[in-house]
Amino acid sequence: MPDGRLRTIAQGRETSIVLALLAIAVLVPTVCVFWFMDQAIQNQQQVVRQKLMDAHRLQLSLLREKLEGFWQEVGAALEKETSRDTAPEAFARVVATGRVRSAIVLGPGGRVAYPGPPLAPRADLASRNADWLRAVRLEQDSANLPAAATAYGRIVSDPSVDASLAARAAQGQLRCLVRAGQHEQAVSIVSKVFGNARLANAGDLQGRLISADAELLALQILRDPESGEFRRIAKRLHARLLDYTNSPMPPDQRVFLMNQMKSLRPGRGFDEFPTLEAETLAARFLAEGGALTHSAALRGSAIPGVLQVSSPKGRLVMLLRTEDALHQMEKLIASADLSPDIHIAISPPGTRPPKSAESTPIGEALPAWHLSLVIRNESIFEQLARRQNMMYYWIAIVAAITVAGLAALAVGALRRQMRLAGLKANLAATVSHELRTPLSSMRLLVENLLEEPHPDPKKTREYLQLIERENVRLSRVIDNFLTFSRLERDHRSFEFSSVSPEAIVREAAQSTRNRFGIPEHEIEVSIEPGLPDVRADENAMVTALLNLLDNAWKYSPTEKRVVLKAYRRGNHICFEVEDNGIGFSKREAKRIFRSFYQVDRRLARGTGGCGLGLSIVDFITRAHGGEVDVESEPGRGSRFTISLPCATTAVVAPA
Ligand code: ADP
């Protein structure tokens, strides 16, 4: 394999190793930077999360405080609202607020004031009244019910009789009339007698309101809710049942009558009792032995799902269903000015708090209740972190690009240095070889001539011709070395001027003929007439053509035919050198313009070349803004074409 190619391969390997090392030098720190970045990003996520949690935690504890005092505030407000009320009034007003389901109103000493237990029966003072005893006897004798009714009626209409006894007598009269089947009279007694203010609030021996019972009886008799009488009595009874101020009705009677009214389906709202549920619940609470010890904590009761809490001054025991308490406290939470990213959930005792970032018991006021901080959108942490990450990634990318850019510059510089080092090595090797060969041939020839005291003139001439040829070869090699090293060293600045292509062609042809002593006809010159000038450095272009002609001559067999042409193609002037020489393959055509490249080094050595001619041609052509092209076929010849822009087109000299 030619030395040049070996050197090229070795250089290629070296370059690959250097490039690989550089790639590692760039990749390793880049990967490290990204790894550190990743770690930093993860820490950042933690920090962001921590900061947000701290902010939200504050909101959580503020809400906890509010909730702890919430039921005491409710109790205080209700106590204030009902401070002047009687116990039944207080009960009705508390229930009407809708803040609690029911309440027990306590009196002095913590005794239940409403809804209280049934009263102890009163002493029956009527047993001393003779009219009363007679009426009772007549009633007992079932055969004489109308007479009994009349006897009772007399007591009712006696103004000197106590209201309570008169009411009881009216009740007896009613009873007798119903039993005697005199329903109309019975109803009219209810309408007239119990509508009367004197008897309206009279109670029986158990404290039950007689008028209310009588009105219910009348409604049961009348039955038809559409009848005018029914409507009047129903309205009166309904009002009585809702009246917690003037109707001294025991709670159990009130509940009983309300339920009875409902079952009669009176319509027109007469079956609507807003306090019925509260009354029932309070009664049940008391019946099941509800603890009435004062407690500011919202705690359970004997009724499942019902909670109790005392008001601050202890006048009320407020009863709530768990869902009501939950609802009200949720409303309080909803009214808090919370960040839209979080949600604070409250969970009653016995329920599992939702999956949350943080969960805390509320405190003594709400035992076993929990408050949980739920992050609505966990991805906000990611979003925030992603924003930061994007910044970090950009920094990393910029850093990586900078490192890569610097590395690329370093690679470029390194490659240039390596190429120069390679060129220097090539130059030294080639120079020593290419100079030594013609010099030693010349020395041998001269020594031969000198050895003979009387040399044969013919032989002397022949030797001198050989020496001249070696000399030409030597000068050509030296010329190319000098041109090449000048071009490589300072990128020789060309002196451009408007030059006639014909002048370049003729100068190059003549110079070649002189150099090789070629007869005129062996280099055929063809110049298209009227060619425009090119903007060029004339000497440089002649050198380029000289190198092409040199090669055409060198690499052609004995029957040489070299043609040098100049013609116009579009905006370009083409200089073409064609030969019928040995040619080369397409593969080689791509390489021959490289410095020191020779297709066949042995052949080149014989012809006196050092692989620089074509790289000089290529350099000069490009400096003129032109191109050099080659077509060749092994064994048939080659055609090199330099095309330069016409003089009108600006040409920029390389820096
Ligand atoms: P050299 O000094 O070796 O001629 P060049 O750079 O001028 O160097 O040419 C490089 C190589 O290209 C030559 O060694 C030769 O193998 C090939 N070459 C150049 N011109 C021709 C041609 N006209 N015909 C055949 N081969 C050529």
Side-chain angles (χ1 to χ4, degrees):
M1 195 183 285
D3 304 355
R5 257 197 246 181
L6 275 175
R7 264 200 298 277
T8 314
I9 292 169
Q11 274 175 22
R13 263 194 212 134
E14 229 172 283
T15 313
S16 312
I17 292 169
V18 171
L19 284 178
L21 285 173
L22 263 165
I24 292 169
V26 171
L27 279 177
V28 170
T30 308
V31 168
C32 288
V33 165
F34 273 96
W35 185 80
F36 282 124
M37 205 74 83
D38 192 55
Q39 294 298 309
I41 283 164
Q42 279 180 23
N43 286 345
Q44 188 62 36
Q45 280 183 6
Q46 293 292 334
V47 171
V48 168
R49 196 186 175 88
Q50 201 55 43
K51 272 190 193 162
L52 276 178
M53 283 303 295
D54 286 348
H56 295 327
R57 210 169 281 135
L58 186 72
Q59 287 181 315
L60 190 71
S61 74
L62 286 175
L63 260 178
R64 220 186 65 180
E65 271 173 37
K66 271 194 181 179
L67 285 170
E68 265 199 294
F70 180 70
W71 291 108
Q72 286 309 291
E73 272 178 36
V74 172
L78 293 180
E79 268 179 347
K80 198 173 166 204
E81 264 182 66
T82 58
S83 59
R84 290 164 187 273
D85 291 345
T86 60
E89 281 171 341
F91 174 85
R93 201 186 297 276
V94 165
V95 173
T97 62
R99 305 220 60 178
V100 294
R101 278 286 165 123
S102 185
I104 309 294
V105 184
L106 302 181
R111 278 196 313 279
V112 177
Y114 193 93
L119 297 173
R122 280 187 283 133
D124 188 3
L125 300 172
S127 54
R128 286 185 229 144
N129 184 311
D131 289 343
W132 172 261
L133 292 174
R134 195 157 49 83
V136 169
R137 255 195 318 276
L138 282 170
E139 188 186 355
Q140 281 166 355
D141 178 9
S142 302
N144 220 348
L145 284 171
T150 313
Y152 278 129
R154 266 199 295 276
I155 301 171
V156 175
S157 47
D158 180 356
S160 65
V161 170
D162 151 73
S164 169
L165 185 61
R168 284 174 66 197
Q171 194 179 29
Q173 186 181 15
L174 186 61
R175 209 166 41 234
C176 294
L177 290 172
V178 172
R179 284 176 71 192
Q182 295 175 9
H183 289 168
E184 258 178 53
Q185 284 101 312
V187 171
S188 97
I189 284 189
V190 172
S191 295
K192 283 183 203 138
V193 177
F194 289 108
N196 182 324
R198 184 168 82 102
L199 301 191
N201 287 339
D204 61 12
L205 293 179
Q206 283 76 35
R208 298 169 63 90
L209 202 64
I210 296 171
S211 57
D213 281 347
E215 279 156 359
L216 175 70
L217 184 64
L219 291 179
Q220 284 168 341
I221 292 167
L222 286 166
R223 280 172 183 273
D224 177 15
E226 294 309 315
S227 81
E229 198 61 43
F230 184 98
R231 269 211 307 278
R232 268 192 298 282
I233 297 175
K235 190 176 175 188
R236 213 165 68 196
L237 179 57
H238 183 254
R240 218 187 280 290
L241 290 172
L242 293 185
D243 184 356
Y244 281 79
T245 308
N246 302 311
S247 282
M249 208 181 308
D252 56 342
Q253 185 192 13
R254 203 184 286 270
V255 171
F256 171 79
L257 291 176
M258 283 176 176
N259 283 322
Q260 289 297 310
M261 271 285 268
K262 276 177 110 57
S263 65
L264 286 175
R265 300 181 189 283
R268 296 185 176 81
F270 297 146
D271 50 358
E272 285 166 16
F273 301 105
T275 52
L276 176 58
E277 194 203 334
E279 290 273 11
T280 313
L281 182 62
R284 190 174 160 203
F285 176 82
L286 290 172
E288 302 211 0
L292 292 172
T293 42
H294 180 85
S295 168
L298 185 69
R299 59 211 170 98
S301 73
I303 308 171
V306 173
L307 305 171
Q308 59 175 326
V309 56
S310 300
S311 60
K313 288 185 187 157
R315 188 176 183 219
L316 302 169
V317 174
M318 299 176 281
L319 301 180
L320 297 122
R321 293 209 176 271
T322 310
E323 60 267 25
D324 304 333
L326 190 65
H327 178 65
Q328 291 197 46
M329 290 194 278
E330 277 174 346
K331 256 169 69 180
L332 177 81
I333 294 172
S335 70
D337 187 19
L338 293 177
S339 147
D341 303 327
I342 60 159
H343 160 64
I344 292 184
I346 180 165
S347 14
T351 55
R352 185 194 282 260
K355 195 171 160 274
S356 58
E358 189 150 320
S359 183
T360 169
I362 298 178
E364 284 174 14
L366 292 157
W369 285 74
H370 276 81
L371 212 52
S372 312
L373 175 66
V374 183
I375 306 294
R376 267 189 212 284
N377 184 3
E378 273 283 342
S379 65
I380 57 162
F381 295 122
E382 277 167 34
Q383 277 169 14
L384 279 171
R386 206 177 302 139
R387 244 176 270 156
Q388 296 265 16
N389 294 0
M390 281 313 286
M391 207 175 78
Y392 287 146
Y393 278 127
W394 275 114
I395 292 171
I397 287 167
V398 169
I401 289 174
T402 313
V403 172
L406 289 174
L409 287 178
V411 168
L414 208 72
R415 287 185 70 175
R416 255 197 311 282
Q417 285 304 322
M418 286 177 70
R419 199 170 67 85
L420 278 178
L423 283 177
K424 270 185 201 154
N426 263 326
L427 204 61
T430 315
V431 165
S432 51
H433 185 268
E434 296 305 329
L435 294 187
R436 209 179 315 125
T437 314
L439 279 176
S440 33
S441 338
M442 280 193 289
R443 200 178 63 233
L444 266 176
L445 289 165
V446 171
E447 275 171 9
N448 259 337
L449 282 176
L450 288 175
E451 267 171 18
E452 291 183 30
H454 305 290
D456 172 24
K458 198 180 152 209
K459 190 180 169 188
T460 307
R461 186 172 179 76
E462 192 186 317
Y463 272 35
L464 285 174
Q465 276 175 342
L466 283 173
I467 289 172
E468 190 202 11
R469 218 174 64 205
E470 288 302 316
N471 203 301
V472 167
R473 179 177 153 183
L474 194 60
S475 341
R476 186 83 204 107
V477 168
I478 289 171
D479 272 358
N480 270 348
F481 279 148
L482 292 178
T483 314
F484 177 76
S485 62
R486 213 169 42 228
L487 293 179
E488 274 294 328
R489 202 173 50 245
D490 59 13
H491 284 223
R492 177 189 155 175
S493 47
F494 296 90
E495 284 168 19
F496 289 96
S497 61
S498 201
V499 188
S500 141
E502 187 174 350
I504 297 171
V505 168
R506 294 213 182 281
E507 170 74 26
Q510 196 49 47
S511 205
T512 311
R513 283 191 202 108
N514 290 347
R515 188 192 306 236
F516 292 108
I518 306 167
E520 180 98 14
H521 66 274
E522 285 197 38
I523 294 185
E524 196 185 315
V525 175
S526 147
I527 301 166
E528 192 182 303
L531 284 180
D533 285 358
V534 283
R535 198 172 154 68
D537 180 322
E538 189 174 350
N539 284 337
M541 281 310 295
V542 169
T543 304
L545 287 185
L546 267 179
N547 276 330
L548 292 180
L549 288 166
D550 212 19
N551 284 349
W553 194 257
K554 278 193 305 188
Y555 301 113
S556 295
T558 33
E559 283 287 307
K560 299 178 200 287
R561 201 180 66 81
V562 176
V563 184
L564 173 59
K565 286 183 189 167
Y567 56 88
R568 180 174 186 155
R569 195 198 285 151
N571 255 348
H572 287 76
I573 302 297
C574 298
F575 299 91
E576 188 181 290
V577 176
E578 190 180 349
D579 64 54
N580 60 339
I582 55 171
F584 43 83
S585 65
K586 275 205 169 117
R587 222 161 79 101
E588 297 295 349
K590 287 181 189 154
R591 301 174 177 165
I592 53 171
F593 291 96
R594 291 182 198 159
S595 308
F596 299 106
Y597 188 83
Q598 292 175 315
V599 176
D600 184 342
R601 207 162 181 77
R602 273 165 307 170
L603 178 72
R605 198 164 293 155
T607 55
C610 55
L612 290 176
L614 287 181
S615 61
I616 291 171
V617 171
D618 185 49
F619 188 92
I620 292 172
T621 311
R622 278 193 285 113
H624 280 72
E627 270 178 14
V628 59
D629 204 21
V630 63
E631 286 168 49
S632 183
E633 207 177 311
R636 304 201 68 168
S638 317
R639 187 195 295 135
F640 287 82
T641 312
I642 294 175
S643 66
L644 296 189
C646 297
T648 42
T649 318
V651 174
V652 181

